[in-house]
Amino acid sequence: MKRLALPLAALSLAAATSTHAAPGSFAQRDRSGNLLAYLTEGEDLPTGQSDDVFGIPGTDIVYSVRKDDTGVRLRFGKPGEPERNLAAGLSLRAGATVRAWPMYVAFNAVTPENGPVFLLGVVAKETGDRSGESASEERLYLFRVDNPGTDRTRAREMVSLPIAAERQIPLCPSQKEKEARQDTCRGELSYEAVLRLDTERHDAWPELVYESRASARPGLLMAEKSLPDGQLDAAQMVRQPDTLCSVQRAIRYDPLTGRYEMQPATRHLAVPADCSGYFLPPAHPLQSLCSSVSARVLVGQTRINDGAARQFSGARIIRQIKPGDTTSQDKRADRLTIEMDPASGRIVKAYCG
């Protein structure tokens, strides 16, 4: 198929991934000839590389990702050429780890220098641990890379997407609940996403299809109601899919922004789902953010003091009120508001903001 020469400003890439196909057995091509496939693993390269180095099939280019004190760098090698290192410009938490995305897209076009263009990725894994709640998140950063392995190598981030997340949620804010619920004091939120190429498209820019699958254990964590008293039984602790956050969305190139942008979900929702509870909050070194999931767990519990509430929710500011009290309308990500019924001594509402 003829390869098209496009102006640099118009050239862009998209990609797809499958977590279920084995390397070498999976490939997709759209109607414009853009190809998605696995990179060649380092041990299968003629030069025999480590498992964190990949080869781009059909070329003599090797690709890897490194993170050091200066940041994340994309590294390209080619026989007879000096190694090329490009700064990725990613802002990550301290302790984050990075690895190369094991897939690539070969764009059916060439650069103005008549060189190849690929979409290559960096997967960054970040973790957090806050007041007994642990969480991890993997995010895929996709870069358009022109002329890799030469002195004209260029790279630009095109889109950032969450592809996996896990959160461990404490369900027992007090010793009383721990004794009552015994071994059912920890819940889990899970999120994963799959990217694929829309093979029916015939556009200059490939289109991505993003499919997410979210679930919670117990399923009650998704409900806007309190957990029942006492130990949760097996039926209550079963993992349930979160249908509001399990969606399919197209990702298309937008010439106005010069990036790929996520489109509305194919399944229309009257009110867009808030899926932020599955992910790590933005890093704020001087601020402790309130966990909305932990806040929801407090509803129905007995009275809790500010110190325990602060430790359980991660919030820096605790505001305790009674039903009907007037509160300020400003929003703060580090504040937890607890509404307590004086008659019963139980929490009837708890929310961040």
Side-chain angles (χ1 to χ4, degrees):
M1 184 176 292
K2 183 180 179 181
R3 290 168 66 83
L4 307 174
L6 300 180
L8 179 62
L11 192 57
S12 187
L13 295 175
T17 184
S18 171
T19 58
H20 306 294
S25 67
F26 177 85
Q28 291 181 320
R29 193 184 294 273
D30 66 16
R31 293 187 176 185
S32 292
N34 305 304
L35 172 69
L36 160 75
Y38 277 93
L39 295 167
T40 302
E41 296 183 349
E43 62 181 14
D44 296 326
L45 293 172
T47 54
Q49 301 281 344
S50 59
D51 59 5
D52 60 348
V53 177
F54 295 88
I56 301 177
T59 76
D60 55 0
I61 303 166
V62 295
Y63 166 60
S64 61
V65 176
R66 293 291 185 273
K67 179 176 177 286
D68 54 29
D69 293 340
T70 64
V72 179
R73 308 187 74 81
L74 313 181
R75 303 173 66 185
F76 300 95
K78 202 173 184 180
E81 297 280 349
E83 185 178 80
R84 313 292 177 180
N85 287 266
L86 299 180
L90 303 181
S91 178
L92 304 176
R93 285 177 169 82
T97 59
V98 298
R99 57 184 172 86
W101 184 49
M103 302 192 78
Y104 75 105
V105 166
F107 200 80
N108 189 36
V110 294
T111 68
E113 298 88 2
N114 202 39
V117 185
F118 300 98
L119 186 76
L120 299 170
V122 175
V123 178
K125 182 176 182 178
E126 300 183 281
T127 60
D129 192 354
R130 180 179 66 192
S131 304
E133 176 183 323
S134 60
S136 66
E137 177 182 321
E138 288 192 357
R139 182 168 288 270
L140 173 62
Y141 297 88
L142 296 178
F143 291 82
R144 188 193 80 190
V145 182
D146 304 349
N147 314 307
T150 72
D151 58 2
R152 293 183 176 181
T153 303
R154 296 182 295 269
R156 183 161 65 92
E157 183 191 337
M158 299 302 293
V159 69
S160 165
L161 302 163
I163 57 173
E166 294 283 345
R167 286 183 65 183
Q168 302 289 324
I169 308 295
L171 303 181
C172 303
S174 68
Q175 185 60 37
K176 180 179 178 180
E177 276 79 30
K178 289 179 182 179
E179 294 172 355
R181 291 185 176 154
Q182 299 178 23
D183 58 349
T184 58
C185 275
R186 188 164 295 276
E188 300 173 358
L189 298 179
S190 177
Y191 184 99
E192 64 176 356
V194 175
L195 286 175
R196 60 179 173 84
L197 195 65
D198 188 340
T199 58
E200 297 302 312
R201 303 293 293 188
H202 196 289
D203 300 330
W205 294 275
E207 183 170 308
L208 293 164
V209 179
Y210 179 89
E211 297 181 34
S212 62
R213 303 180 185 91
S215 62
R217 175 182 177 273
L220 292 170
L221 286 175
M222 298 180 295
E224 295 294 334
K225 57 184 179 181
S226 61
L227 297 177
D229 292 333
Q231 187 174 10
L232 303 179
D233 59 32
Q236 292 170 320
M237 285 298 294
V238 71
R239 181 177 296 277
Q240 294 183 13
D242 183 346
T243 56
L244 294 181
C245 292
S246 300
V247 296
Q248 178 175 299
R249 304 175 71 172
I251 301 176
R252 299 184 185 131
Y253 175 72
D254 186 340
L256 296 178
T257 63
R259 292 174 56 86
Y260 276 86
E261 306 293 348
M262 189 173 286
Q263 307 303 305
T266 55
R267 174 167 51 86
H268 177 72
L269 299 175
V271 178
D274 179 9
C275 303
S276 60
Y278 288 91
F279 308 111
L280 292 170
H284 291 276
L286 300 180
Q287 192 177 70
S288 178
L289 301 184
C290 176
S291 167
S292 59
V293 177
S294 296
R296 209 157 56 233
V297 171
L298 288 173
V299 176
Q301 307 297 332
T302 53
R303 189 184 309 275
I304 187 171
N305 62 44
D306 287 2
R310 190 176 294 112
Q311 182 180 13
F312 183 72
S313 68
R316 186 171 66 88
I317 300 172
I318 304 299
R319 180 170 60 182
Q320 303 240 22
I321 62 173
K322 300 186 298 295
D325 283 356
T326 301
T327 60
S328 61
Q329 298 302 305
D330 62 309
K331 300 293 184 181
R332 296 193 55 149
D334 61 343
R335 181 172 61 197
L336 171 67
T337 299
I338 299 173
E339 187 173 312
M340 177 79 66
D341 177 21
S344 65
R346 289 188 174 272
I347 298 170
V348 294
K349 187 183 295 185
Y351 56 90
C352 300

